[in-house]
């Protein structure tokens, strides 16, 4: 068997087109475009690339993109003051503070300062809590994108055995909450899990969000399973060149899985598309409030 490749780029393009349609409707109704503001503190090269990509994608769907690029030495109080200003700005529907923040800034404090109604990353404790208890919330973008891809592959996942590897607040925990809400039977694995291979072998759905290249071996995969690889690991090849790779041994897994996401080109593109969808959702909810 050779797995069906889940094309994250194509799925994300379709979602962006859907969002652009919603934005056009929003503009026609409210005579303004939804606005997303991204705050970047410091000069982390990868973060700068992500922020640039988010701004471009935001403009392409017809929303207003604003960026605040602050020096790495910015005091925490100054960042909190900026967040307060953005909370009060009626033209701003979504606020995203790019992580990681410099070590002298308490990221939890900054996230908690964002108005939950504008928290398009879905990291605010109010949104995390609502997701956990099954109330409507702004949901973190990466697990939202994963769920869309799982549903597209499998349709109804009620009763399916789902394994989420990783328990971070930005991927693993919200992913497990979304799968639970979709009535899957969910197991969460982490660094203390005994016999990861046995858990993988039972799972109809595997979401790997770890950050360890090729942790999940192809031979562990249950035949026909849906494998979503969130991992983004840059490895150095014997030639000295670097390459982006996932948490799953793709070449081994593709022979056993029913569906699988590639890295790159799987989960990554969906994350930004879901950010745009969250911004439209936040704008629509604020306009109706
Ligand atoms: P994280 O906060 O470092 O969490 C990693 C999780 O993996 C932790 O829960 C950890 O367990 C678990 N883990 C570590 N080693 C393990 C092992 N040997 N077996 C089982 N579990 C193990 O990472 P994250 O922020 O969730 O990100 C995970 C990966 O996804 C990274 O590669 C990241 O770059 C990628 N990512 C991609 C996107 C995207 O858009 N494509 C978005 C976000 C993240 P403990 O809790 O016990 O330490």
């Amino acid at each position: 068997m050779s797995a069906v490749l889940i094309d994250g780029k194509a799925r994300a393009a379709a979602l962006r087109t859907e969002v652009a349609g919603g934005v056009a409707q929003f503009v026609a109704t409210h005579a303004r475009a939804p606005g997303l503001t991204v705050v970047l503190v410091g000069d982390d090269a990868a973060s700068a690339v992500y922020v640039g990509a988010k701004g471009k994608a935001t403009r392409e769907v017809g929303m207003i993109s604003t960026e605040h690029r602050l020096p790495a030495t910015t005091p925490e109080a100054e960042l909190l003051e900026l967040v307060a200003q953005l909370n009060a700005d009626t033209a701003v529907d979504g606020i995203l503070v790019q992580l990681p923040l410099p070590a002298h800034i308490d990221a939890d404090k900054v996230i908690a300062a964002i108005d939950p109604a504008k928290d398009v990353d879905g990291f605010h404790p109010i949104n995390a809590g609502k997701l956990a208890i099954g109330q409507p919330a702004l949901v973190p973008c990466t697990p939202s994108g994963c769920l869309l891809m799982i549903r597209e592959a499998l349709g109804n996942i009620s009763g399916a055995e789902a394994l989420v590897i990783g328990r971070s607040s930005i991927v693993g925990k919200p992913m497990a909450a979304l799968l639970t809400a979709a009535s899957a039977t969910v197991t969460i694995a982490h660094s203390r899990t005994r016999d990861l291979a046995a858990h993988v072998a039972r799972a109809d759905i595997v979401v790997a969000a770890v950050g360890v290249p090729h942790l999940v071996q192809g031979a562990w995969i249950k035949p026909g399973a849906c494998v979503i690889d969130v991992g983004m690991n840059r490895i150095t090849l014997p030639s000295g060149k670097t390459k982006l790779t996932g948490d799953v041994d793709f070449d081994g897994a593709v022979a056993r899985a029913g569906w699988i996401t590639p890295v790159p080109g799987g989960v990554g593109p969906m994350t930004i598309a879901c950010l745009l969808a969250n911004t439209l959702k936040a704008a629509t909810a604020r306009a109706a409030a």
Side-chain angles (χ1 to χ4, degrees):
M1 179 194 289
S2 188
V4 174
L5 218 58
I6 303 176
D7 185 344
K9 275 191 197 164
R11 185 65 191 82
L15 181 55
R16 288 198 305 270
T17 301
E18 214 177 288
V19 172
V23 169
Q25 256 179 6
F26 184 95
V27 173
T29 311
H30 303 289
R32 72 171 187 90
L36 172 63
T37 297
V38 178
V39 181
L40 174 64
V41 186
D43 36 34
D44 179 72
S47 292
V49 171
Y50 293 143
V51 167
K54 285 168 186 172
K56 182 170 175 279
T58 304
R59 290 187 292 276
E60 279 173 1
V61 294
M63 298 198 284
I64 295 167
S65 160
T66 318
E67 284 174 21
H68 292 263
R69 293 183 183 240
L70 308 178
T73 51
T74 302
E76 182 182 277
E78 200 177 300
L79 179 57
L80 290 170
E81 175 54 35
L82 173 61
V83 168
Q85 280 171 24
L86 296 172
N87 284 343
D89 186 340
T90 53
V92 174
D93 297 291
I95 303 169
L96 185 155
V97 178
Q98 184 67 42
L99 301 177
L101 288 168
H104 68 279
I105 297 178
D106 181 344
D108 288 343
K109 202 168 166 184
V110 174
I111 290 166
I114 296 171
D115 177 350
K118 297 187 178 189
D119 167 40
V120 285
D121 250 345
F123 296 163
H124 191 288
I126 296 239
N127 282 317
K130 283 184 174 177
L131 174 61
I133 62 172
Q135 289 184 7
L138 286 166
V139 174
C141 305
T142 299
S144 288
C146 293
L147 186 68
L148 286 174
M149 292 193 288
I150 293 166
R151 281 198 182 285
E152 200 161 277
L154 300 180
N156 184 2
I157 58 170
S158 176
E161 292 283 340
L163 174 69
V164 180
I165 315 175
R167 55 175 166 179
S168 73
S169 305
I170 63 168
V171 191
K173 284 197 182 97
M175 186 76 249
L178 286 171
L179 289 165
T180 304
S183 298
T185 301
V186 182
T187 302
I188 304 177
H190 45 76
S191 66
R192 309 293 174 89
T193 295
R194 291 192 296 261
D195 202 354
L196 183 63
H199 289 287
V200 173
R202 264 207 316 274
D204 304 307
I205 300 164
V206 178
V207 181
V210 182
V212 175
H214 300 179
L215 172 75
V216 179
Q217 294 178 25
W220 298 354
I221 304 290
K222 179 175 175 178
C226 176
V227 178
I228 306 291
D229 193 348
V230 183
M232 285 207 306
N233 312 295
R234 191 154 287 283
I235 57 165
T236 305
L237 300 170
S239 65
K241 285 188 178 163
T242 65
K243 178 187 166 199
L244 203 60
T245 191
D247 291 341
V248 177
D249 161 28
F250 182 86
D251 293 341
V254 79
R256 290 174 68 85
W259 296 266
I260 191 165
T261 58
V263 178
V267 174
M270 284 300 282
T271 296
I272 293 189
C274 288
L275 171 68
L276 305 176
N278 268 0
T279 304
L280 177 60
K281 183 175 167 183
T284 305
R286 290 183 62 249

